Amino acid sequence: MNVYDAQRMADLLAPEGYADTAQVEDADLVVLNTCHIRERAAEKIFSELGKLRALKAARAKAGRDTRIIVAGCVAQAEGGEIFRRQKAVDIVVGPQSYHRLPELLRRAETERGLVETDFPAEDKFDFLVAPTPQQIRKRGVSAFVTVQEGCDKFCSFCVVPYTRGAESSRPVGDILAEVAVLAAAGVREVTLLGQNVNAYHGADGAGGSASLAELCARIAEAPGIARVRYTTSHPGDMTADLIAAHRDQASLMPFLHLPVQSGSDRILAAMNRKHKSADYVDLVAEIRQARSDIALSSDFIVGFPGESEQDFEATLDLIERIGFASAFSFKYSPRPGTPGADLKDQVEESVKSARLSRLQALLERQRQAFNRGMVGRTVDVLFEKPGRHAGQIAGKSPYLQAVQVDGETDRIGEILPVQIVAAGANSLFGRLTPGHAARGAPI
Ligand code: 5AD
Ligand code: SF4
């Protein structure tokens, strides 16, 4: 979502005369769009700001001004504290207020220490500026669209409900209008974003609300849009109609990121996840019944307060039972203001590290096995960019795997069947099937 937000900020600033620079040294304005989800992400900002302060001073000597903005969830969480830690910062703006950037930049001409972290009455989406077709093409044939923001789930480890605020859904009509602009410029794939995206229930324009499944179906009607994905989902909001959509909607890609976090019921309860390990197993069985080839991905946290060796092993067991195509995994990071941070029995850092290594080794084995299982199969690939070597192009399989083939760059934007011939550590290698290898060849 930070990628999407950064693009919207760039679009808002373009009419103000700002364009992207390749080198930070050339930037009159630097916006750090920040993440507060774990301590490490948040702390990185301050080391980055230290470097920017030196840059600002060097540019000032050459008679050039530099404005520094801290945006995103660290801005939201820390507000004016950021100025105390780093005086070179000009503006602090939270994720719900970035539509005010042009106005804030004007005010910064005369005012110092501007902080905008209220949850404003107006909806930022109503103030966004559409990207130009050139800008869309530069960003590629696969695009993000935020459809839902915030979260009401309050998992006890998570800052999102505090930094992104209460759960809210954008109206269907607004989303379709945004997708139409993207599709007209050549976008073929849309990934719908939300912190709790499957809780989506946006106004449908007829006095009711649409579910995520309904939204996906409407988006797929946009000319040119061939693939729809969504992320991130909570198991508790995997409704029957969304599961059925994976059976019925050909454009909905058979890859689902469905975080479980832990395999221990005791820890899941302490995390306030509201699902048990067996619920997750049953849910996955139901989803696989609807779409047998669906690939799953998840998020895991190890070392949540009170996690015993037995709890951790329950997580490994769950992973063995499900079989994941890919996953993200993290050591628990106590976040200020969340209930988890106040719990006794915080797990020692060395224990967390050892558990994370074991967990990641298992997940990596599953990922490699999944990738190797593709060899010999033919899958549709959406080509997105030139490949690593001249004469190659790269794209994504339905399961979000990177695929490289020999091919011309004018095939970028096309979805073509590819026979997978080898699986590397991070990419699959394939060949365009006869008839698709060359333009105009007989099928
Ligand atoms: N510590 C570690 N990981 C966390 N996540 C969220 N909060 C924390 C935390 N305090 C992870 C969860 C979530 C993903 C986006 O980040 O696994 O699904
Ligand atoms: Fe955070 Fe996701 Fe839980 Fe919401 S559902 S509180 S975003 S982990």
Side-chain angles (χ1 to χ4, degrees):
M1 189 175 282
N2 272 11
V3 171
Y4 175 84
D5 287 349
Q7 291 174 348
R8 298 292 75 75
M9 288 187 233
D11 295 341
L12 277 160
L13 293 169
E16 306 288 313
Y18 289 96
D20 295 347
T21 61
Q23 305 288 338
V24 67
E25 290 77 13
D26 297 332
D28 302 314
L29 170 66
V30 180
V31 184
L32 286 186
N33 195 25
T34 63
C35 177
H36 200 246
I37 198 92
R38 284 170 292 276
E39 192 178 355
R40 186 122 68 99
E43 279 308 312
K44 243 172 36 186
I45 309 310
F46 290 98
S47 63
E48 205 57 41
L49 283 173
K51 288 185 222 157
L52 288 172
R53 186 179 80 130
L55 185 73
K56 185 171 181 163
R59 281 173 49 95
K61 275 200 193 121
R64 303 177 72 182
D65 275 347
T66 314
R67 291 229 183 284
I68 300 176
I69 299 183
V70 178
C73 291
V74 176
Q76 187 63 40
E78 308 236 340
E81 269 297 287
I82 291 176
F83 297 120
R84 199 183 53 73
R85 284 185 67 176
Q86 184 46 265
K87 293 194 172 41
V89 173
D90 296 284
I91 298 170
V92 170
V93 59
Q96 303 309 339
S97 309
Y98 63 70
H99 59 295
R100 295 186 175 172
L101 273 178
E103 174 207 325
L104 287 166
L105 278 164
R106 275 190 284 279
R107 282 174 55 198
E109 301 284 331
T110 52
E111 292 174 57
R112 291 209 42 78
L114 289 169
V115 184
E116 194 71 70
T117 52
D118 291 342
F119 288 99
E122 80 273 10
D123 183 350
K124 69 171 177 235
F125 291 108
D126 292 338
F127 294 85
L128 299 188
V129 172
T132 61
Q134 294 88 322
Q135 188 65 285
I136 295 169
R137 279 194 281 274
K138 210 166 97 185
R139 289 172 185 160
V141 293
S142 179
F144 292 129
V145 175
T146 290
V147 303
Q148 179 280 331
E149 259 193 89
C151 186
D152 295 341
K153 292 278 191 287
F154 290 93
C155 300
S156 61
F157 52 80
C158 184
V159 288
V160 165
Y162 312 96
T163 54
R164 289 269 172 180
E167 193 215 294
S168 73
S169 299
R170 293 178 70 190
V172 174
D174 292 9
I175 296 164
L176 294 179
E178 192 167 320
V179 170
V181 171
L182 296 170
V187 166
R188 307 296 317 276
E189 175 179 87
V190 172
T191 301
L192 307 178
L193 302 178
Q195 275 84 26
N196 190 184
V197 73
N198 58 343
Y200 177 84
H201 59 280
D204 64 1
S209 74
S211 68
L212 184 64
E214 289 160 347
L215 179 69
C216 289
R218 296 290 304 278
I219 285 175
E221 288 168 11
I225 299 297
R227 291 180 161 192
V228 180
R229 303 178 184 275
Y230 59 88
T231 197
T232 288
S233 296
H234 189 286
D237 291 313
M238 240 16 246
T239 50
D241 75 326
L242 188 54
I243 296 172
H246 280 281
R247 181 191 60 216
D248 301 334
Q249 296 183 24
S251 51
L252 201 50
M253 288 296 98
F255 178 89
L256 180 61
H257 184 62
L258 191 62
V260 63
Q261 313 295 357
S262 168
S264 154
D265 288 345
R266 215 171 61 80
I267 295 298
L268 287 168
M271 285 176 164
N272 193 30
R273 287 290 292 178
K274 302 193 179 78
H275 58 79
K276 294 197 158 91
S277 182
D279 299 331
Y280 189 83
V281 173
D282 292 348
L283 178 60
V284 167
E286 214 182 313
I287 297 166
R288 282 180 168 153
Q289 209 161 20
R291 176 85 203 220
S292 59
D293 70 332
I294 203 154
L296 287 155
S297 134
S298 182
D299 292 342
F300 296 93
I301 297 177
V302 299
F304 186 80
E307 186 188 71
S308 66
E309 190 57 28
Q310 207 183 350
D311 293 318
F312 172 65
E313 298 212 345
T315 304
L316 297 179
D317 283 349
L318 179 73
I319 295 171
E320 295 276 14
R321 285 185 72 176
I322 301 286
F324 289 96
S326 66
F328 299 99
S329 48
F330 315 97
K331 288 190 261 188
Y332 172 66
S333 166
R335 307 308 292 126
T338 61
D342 297 330
L343 292 174
K344 299 192 302 293
D345 302 333
Q346 297 286 332
V347 174
E348 251 183 63
E349 199 54 32
S350 60
V351 175
K352 286 187 203 173
S353 298
R355 286 182 187 163
L356 188 66
S357 301
R358 280 174 69 194
L359 182 102
Q360 289 184 338
L362 173 58
L363 288 167
E364 181 59 13
R365 279 201 297 281
Q366 292 193 341
R367 189 178 75 88
Q368 299 289 352
F370 180 73
N371 288 347
R372 275 197 309 275
M374 303 302 293
V375 176
R377 288 181 58 186
T378 297
V379 290
D380 281 345
V381 172
L382 167 58
F383 287 100
E384 296 178 336
K385 57 185 183 190
R388 270 184 231 150
H389 306 291
Q392 286 189 334
I393 47 175
K396 294 275 162 56
S397 77
Y399 312 106
L400 219 53
Q401 296 149 301
V403 182
Q404 307 260 343
V405 304
D406 288 338
E408 301 300 325
T409 50
D410 63 354
R411 312 310 291 263
I412 290 170
E414 291 186 47
I415 297 171
L416 300 170
V418 169
Q419 195 194 8
I420 305 299
V421 294
N426 293 307
S427 289
L428 301 176
F429 300 91
R431 61 171 88 89
L432 291 172
T433 55
H436 287 97
R439 248 180 221 294
I443 296 180

mmCIF file of all heavy atoms in Angstrom, residues 204 268 378:
data_model
loop_
_atom_site.group_PDB
_atom_site.id
_atom_site.type_symbol
_atom_site.label_atom_id
_atom_site.label_comp_id
_atom_site.label_asym_id
_atom_site.label_seq_id
_atom_site.Cartn_x
_atom_site.Cartn_y
_atom_site.Cartn_z
ATOM 1 N N ASP A 204 -22.439 0.585 -3.434
ATOM 2 C CA ASP A 204 -22.554 0.102 -4.818
ATOM 3 C C ASP A 204 -23.253 1.101 -5.739
ATOM 4 O O ASP A 204 -23.498 0.799 -6.906
ATOM 5 C CB ASP A 204 -23.262 -1.251 -4.854
ATOM 6 C CG ASP A 204 -24.704 -1.162 -4.374
ATOM 7 O OD1 ASP A 204 -25.167 -0.047 -4.035
ATOM 8 O OD2 ASP A 204 -25.370 -2.218 -4.327
ATOM 9 N N LEU A 268 -2.831 -17.833 19.220
ATOM 10 C CA LEU A 268 -3.814 -17.144 18.379
ATOM 11 C C LEU A 268 -4.824 -16.383 19.245
ATOM 12 O O LEU A 268 -5.216 -15.259 18.914
ATOM 13 C CB LEU A 268 -4.547 -18.150 17.466
ATOM 14 C CG LEU A 268 -3.708 -18.687 16.304
ATOM 15 C CD1 LEU A 268 -4.404 -19.868 15.636
ATOM 16 C CD2 LEU A 268 -3.442 -17.580 15.270
ATOM 17 N N THR A 378 2.592 -25.960 -18.438
ATOM 18 C CA THR A 378 2.439 -24.752 -19.248
ATOM 19 C C THR A 378 1.483 -23.817 -18.517
ATOM 20 O O THR A 378 0.382 -24.230 -18.133
ATOM 21 C CB THR A 378 1.895 -25.119 -20.646
ATOM 22 O OG1 THR A 378 2.864 -25.953 -21.277
ATOM 23 C CG2 THR A 378 1.669 -23.877 -21.500
#
